[in-house]
Amino acid sequence: QVQLVESGGGLVQPGGSLRLSCAASGRTVSNYYMGWFRQAPGKEREFVAAISWSRGSTYYGGSMKGRFTISGDNAKNTVYLQMNSLKPEDTAVYYCAAGGRLLSGVVDYWGQGTQVTVSS
């Protein structure tokens, strides 16, 4: 089993920045992708970003590319999502996720979610 614990959500004004963190514990995640999905009220959950520990590669959803940056600290089993130039439409619950087929939308482990609200 893998436990994922997110932190860093909150309220930010449009144009502002936030950094989310997700710490993994339990079994090793070195062979997994880790990343983030988000779900806004009344909308489907959508892919935000992911990182491959083994390849060092990063992947982004279309509307987030250029504004969001995912990174990881392998020694701490922690991934980060730096979100810049935030817009009201980025308001959502952000979920940390891990799995071998995460890029296909198949998630083995979910975090509990952290609320991000972008509003003036």
Side-chain angles (χ1 to χ4, degrees):
Q1 286 291 327
V2 174
Q3 292 78 43
L4 304 173
V5 178
E6 302 111 330
S7 61
L11 173 66
V12 64
Q13 292 187 343
S17 299
L18 277 177
R19 189 176 84 151
L20 306 182
S21 301
C22 174
S25 62
R27 62 177 293 181
T28 180
V29 293
S30 59
N31 293 324
Y32 284 176
Y33 294 90
M34 281 187 68
W36 299 88
F37 289 74
R38 69 184 185 185
Q39 188 166 22
K43 295 188 177 181
E44 292 187 354
R45 194 169 293 189
E46 68 172 330
F47 172 73
V48 175
I51 188 168
S52 166
W53 292 118
S54 60
R55 300 174 182 174
S57 302
T58 56
Y59 310 86
Y60 295 93
S63 66
M64 279 66 80
K65 200 167 186 179
R67 298 189 298 123
F68 293 6
T69 303
I70 189 169
S71 61
D73 185 332
N74 214 338
K76 296 181 180 179
N77 278 344
T78 299
V79 293
Y80 306 96
L81 184 69
Q82 178 67 42
M83 304 185 292
N84 298 328
S85 302
L86 284 162
K87 306 174 183 179
E89 51 264 43
D90 294 316
T91 295
V93 178
Y94 284 70
Y95 295 92
C96 183
R101 295 177 293 163
L102 189 145
L103 297 182
S104 299
V106 179
V107 176
D108 295 310
Y109 303 100
W110 290 103
Q112 81 280 3
T114 186
Q115 177 71 45
V116 171
T117 302
V118 184
S119 175
S120 55

